Amino acid sequence: MSAPELSISIVSWNTRELLRDCLASIREDPRSAAWELFVVDNASSDGSADMVEECFPEAAVIRSRENLGFSGGHNLALARARGRHLLLLNPDTRVDPGALGGMVDFADRNARVGAVGPRLEDDRGNLELSWGRAPGGLSLIAHKLLLHRLFPDRRLARRRSRAEDVGWVTGACLLVRREAAEAAGPLDDGMFMCHEDVEWCMRLGDAGWRVVYFPRSRVVHHEGRSIRQRLGEMLVVSQRSQYYLHQKHFGRGRLHLLRLLTGIEMILRTTLWSLLWLVRPRTRGEARDRLGAYRRILWRTLADRGFWAPRDPRPGETS
């Protein structure tokens, strides 16, 4: 039996209706009959897995007894996938007919392309930032000091039809050639959620594969619906993943720079969200979650080595 051209992996946690819309959009694609589809249910309590089995029998449902996060969930599906290309797709997306096939065709025409990401838009047609350069010192400083909030990101002003090589593309919709995935290895499940797509793309680049932003394919993204269910907790998890990435790839000096900048960032964000609490009552629910998370991140950055140095050293390294 020949391998399908595409294996799609969707990891879902309590996103039943969004997941339904996502799967319906895949089914509408004229090439979907040739694809392989996996839905990993990360111990949802909203009946998501039952809905998929009842309404989308073409999808193979993998039920996890615990929430394995983004990387752990996708790795369950990718271990079973047979496709020439592998696609990570968020359940809070809706794919245009032809979008995924266009990404497959682009990769097939360009032998050294290891990963492809589409143009992401929100449901009002606004362009989302879905790609960027590999992490660097200047970009880290700019983001941690919130300087990126003061200046428009030039990526949003670029032409929407031009493919270009980038450092990473978001895991909300990320196609990876099988050979590239085998060369780079699986997603690092030491990162529960956030930054794992950046880290995977970094390894793909290190293995000699191109990572390309392909805006001719469009995907609608209802960003962050799963994360907002537990916003405070996910902010803390995201920061831990950032520490993990820097410890793994950049070493002790960058890690301590990140600690310093994160402390400054938490103070800045606490100040701004405290002001919002006072002047915008409707934001107080989100502000409460954020302020609590910022306090936890600051304290753990200062006092909890297991938080800011979460990765066990590799053989030959010192902690």
Side-chain angles (χ1 to χ4, degrees):
M1 184 177 180
S2 61
E5 66 176 10
L6 182 64
S7 295
I8 301 172
S9 171
I10 300 173
V11 174
S12 176
W13 181 72
N14 291 328
T15 57
R16 174 175 171 155
E17 297 311 312
L18 289 168
L19 176 61
R20 186 196 303 272
D21 291 343
C22 175
L23 293 172
S25 73
I26 295 171
R27 179 183 280 174
E28 291 171 2
D29 194 290
R31 290 168 63 168
S32 63
W35 299 339
E36 184 178 49
L37 179 58
F38 296 95
V39 174
V40 180
D41 185 77
N42 257 342
S44 297
S45 58
D46 66 348
S48 295
D50 292 338
M51 180 276 294
V52 175
E53 289 180 339
E54 179 181 351
C55 300
F56 300 93
E58 66 271 28
V61 177
I62 302 174
R63 296 175 184 252
S64 175
R65 294 183 178 180
E66 60 180 315
N67 188 344
L68 299 175
F70 183 94
S71 297
H74 278 300
N75 282 337
L76 284 181
L78 297 182
R80 293 173 51 176
R82 299 181 299 109
R84 292 189 293 108
H85 300 284
L86 313 171
L87 183 82
L88 311 186
L89 187 65
N90 274 16
D92 58 354
T93 59
R94 187 173 68 250
V95 300
D96 281 357
L100 302 184
M103 294 165 65
V104 169
D105 293 342
F106 177 80
D108 284 341
R109 292 193 304 268
N110 296 274
R112 292 310 301 169
V113 169
V116 182
R119 182 174 85 249
L120 292 187
E121 296 180 359
D122 64 22
D123 49 14
R124 294 176 294 178
N126 298 313
L127 192 65
E128 290 187 0
L129 287 178
S130 59
W131 60 273
R133 299 181 181 89
L138 290 178
S139 63
L140 177 66
I141 293 170
H143 278 77
K144 287 296 182 180
L145 299 183
L146 308 187
L147 298 179
H148 65 295
R149 298 291 185 184
L150 301 178
F151 305 102
D153 198 303
R154 292 181 180 179
R155 284 175 286 176
L156 289 176
R158 294 192 179 184
R159 291 169 50 193
R160 297 189 177 194
S161 60
R162 178 165 57 91
E164 56 186 297
D165 286 55
V166 296
W168 58 268
V169 290
T170 179
C173 183
L174 170 58
L175 180 143
V176 177
R177 186 189 302 271
R178 172 173 290 279
E179 296 92 333
E182 291 172 348
L187 288 157
D188 189 335
D189 56 14
M191 307 171 78
F192 181 84
M193 185 171 286
C194 302
H195 304 290
E196 63 287 290
D197 44 8
V198 176
E199 198 275 332
W200 205 25
C201 287
M202 290 173 65
R203 283 190 280 126
L204 289 166
D206 290 344
W209 294 93
R210 294 170 58 197
V211 178
V212 178
Y213 170 63
F214 185 68
R216 294 180 185 176
S217 289
R218 185 187 83 119
V219 172
V220 175
H221 184 210
H222 307 285
E223 186 176 11
R225 295 292 178 86
S226 291
I227 289 177
R228 289 193 197 109
Q229 297 177 72
R230 300 168 72 176
L231 176 61
E233 180 181 342
M234 288 300 102
L235 290 172
V236 177
V237 167
S238 176
Q239 183 57 55
R240 182 189 180 280
S241 292
Q242 190 177 34
Y243 280 132
Y244 184 100
L245 182 151
H246 280 74
Q247 184 186 22
K248 180 177 180 178
H249 287 277
F250 299 112
R252 181 181 296 181
R254 178 72 73 84
L255 185 63
H256 287 300
L257 174 62
L258 178 58
R259 287 182 69 203
L260 172 63
L261 293 172
T262 298
I264 297 171
E265 179 194 15
M266 293 304 104
I267 293 171
L268 291 173
R269 290 187 180 275
T270 296
T271 301
L272 291 172
W273 277 94
S274 295
L275 291 173
L276 283 174
W277 171 283
L278 293 173
V279 301
R280 294 187 182 177
R282 68 178 182 275
T283 68
R284 287 182 177 175
E286 181 179 353
R288 181 177 59 253
D289 291 340
R290 287 184 175 275
L291 290 170
Y294 299 154
R295 286 193 297 271
R296 292 196 298 276
I297 291 170
L298 180 58
W299 171 248
R300 297 187 71 180
T301 291
L302 294 172
D304 183 356
R305 183 181 179 86
F307 179 69
W308 60 262
R311 181 173 176 268
D312 291 333
R314 288 170 289 184
E317 292 183 336
T318 57
S319 60

